[in-house]
Amino acid sequence: MTFLETILGEILQIFKREGIEANSEADIIKKLDIRSSTFHELFADKADMVRQVTIFDIEQQKQEQARMLAKAVNPVEEIMMLLQDGIQKMKEINPVYILDMQRYPEAWQLSMEHVSTNNQIVNAEILNRGILEGYFRRDINLQLVTKIILEQFLMMINPAVFPPQKYNLSEVFRSIYLYYVRGICTDAGGKMAEEYFSRNNL
């Protein structure tokens, strides 16, 4: 990992824990324990820093996702892993971070494009492979199903729809995805979906 990547990783952890606006530029420099001149050599301004951190985060997510999916034994498990991982990541992030990022249009757009595009491409590839291998029904509309899976995920993590103090996210996850995924599965795929939920205590 390069010096810049190490710095970006440290800033990302601060952002996820405290949000972006909780710290001034000077606060971040102090927490990173680097010279102000070094900081300004790396970043033009705060917006540039947020943009670079966002790009770094996206690349890290892609690498983690590839490592995680390599452990799955079938396409049904891949879909479940993606969804479960998404929820776990949301639990680890301070909601203020997501609100703060919306103040930085370029970084926010990069983040949203990644969520939407990556989700559509990866899910479509998994579903297509799952159809060919006999886990998912042949009559499903791939484009529509991948869109529905994304929108269900965005709905599930929206605190206005499912306030965390009122709803258990694991139960919401089960209620949405066990039945939806089972519905697009063949009999063989459906059994695997149920086994995954059971094995992971979902």
Side-chain angles (χ1 to χ4, degrees):
M1 198 175 268
T2 65
F3 175 69
L4 175 59
E5 287 170 337
T6 302
I7 293 296
L8 291 171
E10 289 179 20
I11 298 172
L12 178 61
Q13 291 312 308
I14 294 169
F15 283 176
K16 286 183 175 180
R17 192 170 58 246
E18 304 169 26
I20 298 171
E21 300 303 298
N23 293 286
S24 66
E25 209 172 87
D27 293 331
I28 291 170
I29 291 168
K30 191 174 180 182
K31 287 184 177 181
L32 293 173
D33 194 24
I34 60 172
R35 295 169 187 258
S36 178
S37 57
T38 303
F39 181 87
H40 289 105
E41 282 172 17
L42 299 173
F43 310 112
D45 51 28
K46 195 167 184 180
D48 180 49
M49 175 185 64
V50 174
R51 182 186 63 81
Q52 288 196 50
V53 169
T54 302
I55 292 169
F56 173 80
D57 187 26
I58 289 169
E59 285 308 310
Q60 292 294 107
Q61 286 180 44
K62 285 179 181 175
Q63 290 172 26
E64 285 174 22
Q65 187 180 85
R67 285 194 295 270
M68 177 185 68
L69 292 178
K71 297 174 186 173
V73 295
N74 60 62
V76 177
E77 191 164 295
E78 286 180 70
I79 291 286
M80 292 290 105
M81 278 181 162
L82 283 173
L83 297 166
Q84 201 178 356
D85 182 62
I87 290 170
Q88 187 56 40
K89 280 188 167 51
M90 290 308 300
K91 285 181 178 176
E92 293 167 1
I93 293 174
N94 187 332
V96 173
Y97 173 43
I98 295 166
L99 292 171
D100 284 351
M101 194 188 281
Q102 292 173 48
R103 299 180 182 212
Y104 299 88
E106 191 179 354
W108 179 246
Q109 187 179 350
L110 284 168
S111 184
M112 286 297 95
E113 279 176 3
H114 169 68
V115 169
S116 178
T117 307
N118 180 67
N119 194 292
Q120 294 269 43
I121 292 171
V122 173
N123 280 342
E125 190 275 325
I126 293 169
L127 287 167
N128 194 44
R129 189 157 29 84
I131 291 169
L132 295 174
E133 293 176 17
Y135 298 115
F136 298 117
R137 294 161 51 115
R138 289 190 172 275
D139 60 351
I140 62 173
N141 180 322
L142 271 180
Q143 192 175 6
L144 198 54
V145 169
T146 52
K147 174 71 172 166
I148 289 168
I149 289 174
L150 173 63
E151 293 302 327
Q152 284 177 327
F153 178 73
L154 295 175
M155 174 185 71
M156 185 172 49
I157 61 173
N158 182 346
V161 180
F162 293 109
Q165 65 274 19
K166 189 175 179 184
Y167 296 96
N168 181 312
L169 259 188
S170 296
E171 189 54 39
V172 175
F173 179 83
R174 181 183 177 82
S175 298
I176 291 175
Y177 288 112
L178 174 58
Y179 308 116
Y180 185 75
V181 172
R182 197 167 61 184
I184 62 170
C185 282
T186 58
D187 288 345
K191 285 175 186 172
M192 287 179 174
E194 288 182 21
E195 284 169 10
Y196 183 86
F197 273 86
S198 176
R199 193 166 65 246
N200 291 279
N201 297 315
L202 295 170

